[in-house]
């Protein structure tokens, strides 16, 4: 199969609901990206591309509406005993979970009182009346981020139903979350639009070796060759590409100009200025010590 034909077919699928800037970027940069690979390597990329999913904003809205109906029907989410929250980062920085949380608020029909970005802020007198806690996010690659997040919470989840709602998940991540949190006696359900196996799971050893060789040749940082914590995901979203995705598709290097580059987090000026001062002070100190 010709990889160019496969890519066009993939792009048509990704743009079914909307042809956005990220798809246009992939179309514009595909030829340069693929020029780095030989015939055998392109054949391997064909397999990966066919399983790669991209979600535009329009498709996410439609999917979120489906998932919302699902949690209403299967879990009876309501203002009577439910709260909808965010999978917050340990450092408190904004992440994709906030974006999907706000999007859900727009399409769900629920009042804003059901939405709380930190359950730790809920008074105990109200917390005892809550029986279902819904968390929203874009994806789940390994499950480690979510399990660590739950363990950081100050509130007790005893006798409560935890429901994680995501667009795409790797099968192993779902199993990991349920088994890991079950050790804490926690009841967790995972509602997913698209569940997939690890990208290299069904490849023969020769293909896996070739993939590693390709990634090394393209100078993909070793921690991201298989995605973060070896998630082996194949997905990208309108707002970013998760680092769970195989590095060839998003990791920028001198050799690799990916079709779905990950948005890098830039530090604000007020933080950089302090770091520059510290750096200058250290340099002045070191020069005096020489």
């Amino acid at each position: 199969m010709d990889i160019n034909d496969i890519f066009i077919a993939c792009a048509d699928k990704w743009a079914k609901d909307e042809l956005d800037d990220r798809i246009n970027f992939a179309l514009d940069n595909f030829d340069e990206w693929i020029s780095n690979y030989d015939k055998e390597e392109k054949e391997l990329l064909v397999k990966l591309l066919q399983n790669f999913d991209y979600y535009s904003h329009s498709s996410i809205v439609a999917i979120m509406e489906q998932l919302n109906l699902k949690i209403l029907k299967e879990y009876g989410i309501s203002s009577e005993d439910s709260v909808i929250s965010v999978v917050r980062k340990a450092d408190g920085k904004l992440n994709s979970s906030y974006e999907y949380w706000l999007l859900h608020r727009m399409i769900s029909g629920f009042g804003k009182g059901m939405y709380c970005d930190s359950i730790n802020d809920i008074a105990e007198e109200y917390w005892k009346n809550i029986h279902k806690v819904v968390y929203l996010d874009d994806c789940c690659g390994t499950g480690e981020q979510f399990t660590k997040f739950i363990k950081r919470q100050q509130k007790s989840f005893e006798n409560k139903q935890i429901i994680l709602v995501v667009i795409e998940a790797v099968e192993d991540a779902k199993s990991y979350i349920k088994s890991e949190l079950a050790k804490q006696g926690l009841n967790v359900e995972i509602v997913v639009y698209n569940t997939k196996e690890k990208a290299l799971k069904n490849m023969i050893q020769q293909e896996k070796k070739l993939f590693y060789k390709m990634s090394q040749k393209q100078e993909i940082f070793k921690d991201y060759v298989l995605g973060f914590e070896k998630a082996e995901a194949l997905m990208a979203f309108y707002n970013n590409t998760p680092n769970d995705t195989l590095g060839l598709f998003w990791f920028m290097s001198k050799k690799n100009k990916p079709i779905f580059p990950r948005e890098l987090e830039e530090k604000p000026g007020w933080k950089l200025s302090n770091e520059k001062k510290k750096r200058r002070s250290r340099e002045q100190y070191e020069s005096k010590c020489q």
Side-chain angles (χ1 to χ4, degrees):
M1 290 179 287
D2 182 74
I3 193 166
N4 294 287
D5 294 337
I6 294 298
F7 177 71
I8 293 301
C10 289
D12 287 341
K13 178 183 71 172
W14 301 333
K16 177 172 64 71
D17 297 299
E18 176 187 3
L19 178 60
D20 63 15
D21 289 344
R22 297 207 77 198
I23 297 174
N24 277 322
F25 180 92
L27 288 166
D28 290 342
N29 291 274
F30 177 75
D31 287 342
E32 181 180 359
W33 180 63
I34 207 67
S35 66
N36 294 312
Y37 303 102
D38 62 29
K39 184 176 183 294
E40 185 182 19
E41 292 168 341
K42 287 178 181 178
E43 290 174 355
L44 182 57
L45 284 176
V46 163
K47 293 184 178 182
L48 297 175
L49 276 169
Q50 289 176 318
N51 289 317
F52 194 100
D53 284 294
Y54 173 78
Y55 300 93
S56 66
H57 185 271
S58 296
S59 65
I60 290 293
V61 170
I63 291 167
M64 192 66 78
E65 288 173 343
Q66 291 181 41
L67 294 176
N68 183 56
L69 290 174
K70 187 178 180 69
I71 62 174
L72 284 172
K73 182 179 179 180
E74 296 186 12
Y75 301 101
I77 301 304
S78 75
S79 59
E80 293 298 314
D81 65 350
S82 311
V83 66
I84 301 171
S85 195
V86 175
V87 184
R88 301 178 74 185
K89 295 179 70 172
D91 59 12
K93 292 179 181 177
L94 188 71
N95 62 7
S96 60
S97 183
Y98 276 93
E99 296 188 45
Y100 288 79
W101 179 67
L102 291 170
L103 179 60
H104 186 269
R105 165 74 179 90
M106 292 172 61
I107 62 96
S108 70
F110 291 134
K112 63 181 180 180
M114 279 185 68
Y115 292 80
C116 179
D117 70 336
S118 174
I119 63 167
N120 292 333
D121 296 333
I122 300 175
E124 285 299 325
E125 61 180 304
Y126 301 128
W127 181 245
K128 66 183 181 182
N129 299 325
I130 294 172
H131 303 299
K132 300 160 191 169
V133 185
V134 180
Y135 288 104
L136 298 160
D137 210 349
D138 56 355
C139 65
C140 192
T142 64
E144 288 191 23
Q145 178 184 346
F146 185 71
T147 54
K148 288 177 181 177
F149 163 78
I150 292 296
K151 292 174 183 179
R152 288 199 307 268
Q153 302 313 295
Q154 298 167 11
K155 297 289 187 185
S156 169
F157 287 99
E158 185 178 359
N159 299 321
K160 299 192 189 301
Q161 173 81 72
I162 301 171
I163 303 166
L164 174 62
V165 180
V166 296
I167 306 301
E168 181 164 316
V170 177
E171 182 64 49
D172 290 6
K174 292 170 59 179
S175 304
Y176 177 82
I177 290 171
K178 292 181 76 71
S179 63
E180 192 68 18
L181 293 182
K183 297 174 185 176
Q184 312 292 319
L186 301 182
N187 182 15
V188 184
E189 293 298 331
I190 306 168
V191 179
V192 187
Y193 172 74
N194 189 12
T195 302
K196 294 194 297 198
E197 294 180 335
K198 286 193 168 190
L200 275 60
K201 182 176 181 178
N202 296 316
M203 287 187 179
I204 61 175
Q205 199 60 35
Q206 182 180 349
E207 290 175 316
K208 291 180 180 179
K209 287 181 179 179
L210 177 61
F211 178 78
Y212 281 108
K213 180 182 176 183
M214 292 162 59
S215 299
Q216 290 173 343
K217 186 174 72 174
Q218 297 306 119
E219 299 180 350
I220 307 301
F221 186 52
K222 64 178 181 179
D223 288 352
Y224 296 128
V225 168
L226 295 177
F228 183 67
E229 296 293 340
K230 300 179 180 179
E232 294 186 36
L234 284 171
M235 55 182 156
F237 298 83
Y238 73 93
N239 57 319
N240 210 349
T241 303
N243 59 7
D244 300 309
T245 293
L246 299 179
L248 284 176
F249 289 92
W250 64 267
F251 189 87
M252 184 75 74
S253 71
K254 291 180 179 179
K255 297 285 186 67
N256 193 52
K257 300 298 182 286
I259 52 175
F260 286 108
R262 180 172 168 79
E263 180 184 329
L264 298 178
E265 186 176 311
E266 294 184 9
K267 292 182 179 179
W270 51 263
K271 193 169 186 178
L272 286 172
S273 60
N274 270 8
E275 292 182 357
K276 287 177 181 177
K277 287 178 182 177
K278 290 179 182 178
R279 194 182 307 119
R280 282 198 300 269
S281 297
R282 185 173 64 249
E283 289 170 354
Q284 289 171 0
Y285 172 78
E286 290 174 351
S287 64
K288 290 178 181 178
C289 293
Q290 289 177 354

